[in-house]
Amino acid sequence: MSTLLALDQGTTSSRAVVLDDTLRVLGSARREFAQYFPAPGLVEHDAVEIWQSIHDVTLEALAAAGVGAREITAVGLTNQRETVVLWERSSGRPLHRALVWQDRRTAGLCEQMTADGHAALMRERTGLVIDPYFSASKLCWLLDHCPGARARAERGELAFGTTDSWLMWQLSGGRAHLTDVTNAARTLLFNIDTGDWDDELLARWTIPRALLPRVVGCAEPLFDISGLGDLRCPVAGVAGDQQAALFGLQCFDAGDAKCTYGTGCFILVNAGTTRPQATGGLLTTPAWRIGGTTTYAVEGSVFMGGATIQWLRDQLGIIAGAGDVEALAASVPDSGGVVLVPAFTGLGAPYWDAQARGLLIGLTRGTGRAHIARAALDGIALQVSDVLDAMRPALAAPLRTLRVDGGAARNDLLMRIQASLLGLTLERPHDLENTALGAAALAGLGVGLWPDRDSLRAHWHPERCFAPAEFALDAGLRRRWRRAVERSRTWATDDA
Ligand code: ADP
């Protein structure tokens, strides 16, 4: 029997999972690490602590699975995307804490880049929008704020990477400076048509090429591990977290879509092997590159998904736990005309309105907490529908199914509302965390454990499907939602 190890380096925790060659979990371990908030809007991680956490959970997961390090056939790696690490090649020492994707310190630089007319070219070449979320502006900040960094970067003394690169550097004992296409594509420096770093983009951001890792595919043997205990097998699978989840949920064909209902909702649709032209706030991104062929995805994110339910629990106190929302919301036939637009931190795709604010409207003397709970579930599902509806024109193949995971996907009522709104069947697996599963599957493919992707399908078992016809929606729901979203928009601007 072959055994795989998946390393899942997330935003708040690191996780290691040991799986067999049918992708069954044999053991796992998780460890949280510190979040540093030096000032409002700034978010940092300690890269050394991240590596230490990966090191420790690997040993714990092996022990939990009762598997020896030498029994592992291949390692798959998946990670929080966009977060920037800058380190010294000679010592492997980071020059600064990692700047996390959530960090907004480079908003001014991004506004300047947009004002200077760089947005169209960046959009065309990278599939992204200019935003502090992506790596380039954060790397610029580090080069400008770490003493001597720019000159040292020009001399080739420094290395840049997202956390996949950083971990591969550590796992290889400082020999491998690599990143995979899905992580490279989150930097605003990578050309998704040529599949390589883009000199013109590097020039516009004034980033020296000598800093950059070599870009590799998502399922191929990369190097043999020498930096973690007795592990000696190859790292053979790498992908950013959302792409790994798309792969883990086996959305292998054009038109296959997934939504992860966590704190936010992350929606990716497999768009096939021809690059799609996504518009508005939707992103075009490589889903994976396997055997030299790139598969593309269209991506959109909703900021407040399951976090809306946390708000009901922590701020309103109308439920004791997230699991209580379903029974409360199901105790009424509909929201009684109440609409909740969860724009607490602005609206993400497809609106991209940072000044929008949350709105609860349609209240009457008869409104109770059950109506508000129901409106919260409607609001999550309606936001996801808006993203998928905006994606449809960019897709070569029609949407086929929506596979779901994340903590809030265990809410059956939310899933039924969602299926009905989309007119699509939802498929929910047993395991609601598919990121590590995707990394393991990529690694197994990378070492030829299975002949092709189709051989993996035998290991996919939906726990439950939700058909659109199962559930009748309140007729006025969409129309009321549209009107409420319009009222929520630009609210903070009007307030100023
Ligand atoms: P993340 O990975 O972003 O931390 P998880 O996938 O662990 O998120 O999911 C946690 C989120 O799911 C929380 O925001 C929580 O409020 C929500 N959640 C958990 N259970 C339910 C439920 N039964 N119904 C709706 N939301 C839920």
Side-chain angles (χ1 to χ4, degrees):
M1 187 186 72
S2 297
T3 315
L4 299 164
L5 171 68
L7 302 178
D8 177 1
Q9 202 298 293
T11 304
T12 56
S13 69
S14 293
R15 186 164 175 253
V17 185
V18 180
L19 305 99
D20 70 12
D21 54 10
T22 66
L23 297 176
R24 196 168 54 93
V25 175
L26 303 176
S28 68
R30 182 195 292 273
R31 180 159 305 179
E32 292 197 355
F33 51 84
Q35 309 286 315
Y36 299 94
F37 306 108
L42 310 193
V43 189
E44 299 178 351
H45 291 158
D46 178 343
V48 174
E49 193 184 345
I50 284 182
W51 162 239
Q52 190 63 48
S53 69
I54 282 286
H55 180 277
D56 295 351
V57 291
T58 296
L59 300 183
E60 279 174 44
L62 288 169
V67 168
R70 299 294 174 105
E71 294 171 64
I72 300 290
T73 310
V75 168
L77 183 59
T78 179
N79 59 300
Q80 54 166 321
R81 304 176 301 176
E82 299 102 8
T83 295
V84 173
V85 189
L86 181 66
W87 69 94
E88 188 179 62
R89 290 183 188 270
S90 61
S91 65
R93 196 178 51 83
L95 268 69
H96 193 276
R97 284 205 196 116
L99 304 192
V100 179
W101 56 272
Q102 296 153 326
D103 191 294
R104 305 296 296 178
R105 78 185 67 190
T106 57
L109 172 58
C110 289
E111 275 163 29
Q112 191 59 50
M113 289 294 285
T114 304
D116 291 348
H118 299 297
L121 181 94
M122 302 230 172
R123 174 100 188 150
E124 176 53 33
R125 303 231 172 136
T126 68
L128 309 177
V129 293
I130 296 181
D131 192 274
Y133 180 27
F134 304 108
S135 311
S137 63
K138 294 184 157 93
L139 179 53
C140 286
W141 189 94
L142 287 173
L143 292 174
D144 291 336
H145 288 81
C146 298
R150 222 166 241 294
R152 298 188 68 199
E154 299 281 1
R155 292 198 298 269
E157 293 172 20
L158 305 181
F160 149 77
T162 38
T163 60
D164 57 312
S165 291
W166 166 247
L167 293 176
M168 285 195 273
W169 178 274
Q170 300 295 336
L171 288 166
S172 67
R175 285 176 299 122
H177 187 209
L178 307 172
T179 192
D180 87 290
V181 283
T182 68
N183 277 293
R186 311 301 290 189
T187 59
L188 277 169
L189 304 172
F190 181 80
N191 184 318
I192 62 171
D193 293 316
T194 63
D196 201 359
W197 304 116
D198 186 299
D199 285 323
E200 191 168 354
L201 297 176
L202 290 170
R204 292 194 182 199
W205 287 105
T206 60
I207 288 176
R209 211 177 221 277
L211 277 170
L212 303 179
R214 182 164 66 83
V215 181
V216 295
C218 300
E220 52 198 61
L222 298 175
F223 59 88
D224 287 340
I225 295 173
S226 57
L228 205 173
D230 290 331
L231 278 178
R232 293 292 176 269
C233 65
V235 170
V238 187
D241 51 11
Q242 296 308 318
Q243 282 91 340
L246 189 71
F247 200 81
L249 284 160
Q250 299 201 9
C251 295
F252 294 155
D253 297 318
D256 288 348
K258 76 98 188 170
C259 179
T260 301
Y261 296 82
T263 306
C265 297
F266 293 92
I267 300 137
L268 264 80
V269 183
N270 183 321
T273 51
T274 306
R275 180 198 164 164
Q277 295 295 340
T279 53
L282 301 170
L283 309 178
T284 305
T285 192
W288 45 75
R289 188 166 82 198
I290 298 178
T293 302
T294 300
T295 298
Y296 292 90
V298 181
E299 175 175 336
S301 307
V302 165
F303 300 144
M304 292 287 289
T308 312
I309 308 305
Q310 289 171 4
W311 179 75
L312 297 182
R313 184 192 64 195
D314 302 337
Q315 261 68 34
L316 293 194
I318 64 172
I319 47 172
D324 301 334
V325 72
E326 184 167 358
L328 181 61
S331 69
V332 285
D334 55 45
S335 71
V338 176
V339 183
L340 173 60
V341 182
F344 298 84
T345 57
L347 285 169
Y351 304 102
W352 290 100
D353 184 346
Q355 306 299 335
R357 285 297 176 271
L359 181 80
L360 185 61
I361 200 165
L363 306 178
T364 65
R365 288 292 296 274
T367 300
R369 59 194 197 102
H371 297 107
I372 294 174
R374 183 62 170 264
L377 296 184
D378 289 344
I380 297 171
L382 283 155
Q383 292 182 98
V384 170
S385 293
D386 283 348
V387 173
L388 279 159
D389 287 344
M391 284 177 173
R392 289 184 206 248
L395 300 171
L399 288 169
R400 288 151 42 104
T401 53
L402 181 68
R403 292 188 167 168
V404 299
D405 70 348
R410 67 169 62 91
N411 188 314
D412 291 347
L413 178 57
L414 174 62
M415 297 297 102
R416 295 168 78 201
I417 296 169
Q418 189 73 81
S420 184
L421 273 171
L422 290 170
L424 287 177
T425 296
L426 266 52
E427 296 180 340
R428 183 176 70 187
H430 267 291
D431 186 352
L432 295 180
E433 291 197 51
N434 291 276
T435 314
L437 201 69
L442 287 166
L445 274 179
V447 292
L449 208 57
W450 309 288
D452 52 29
R453 250 173 280 175
D454 285 328
S455 330
L456 286 165
R457 292 189 198 270
H459 310 310
W460 162 259
H461 310 286
E463 172 254 342
R464 182 155 172 198
C465 296
F466 298 87
E470 264 180 37
F471 190 75
L473 287 176
D474 160 18
L477 183 63
R478 280 175 191 280
R479 191 174 41 81
R480 278 197 297 274
W481 170 253
R482 296 259 153 277
R483 292 168 60 211
V485 167
E486 279 318 308
R487 282 171 164 77
S488 77
R489 297 195 61 177
T490 67
W491 183 263
T493 331
D494 298 348
D495 219 21

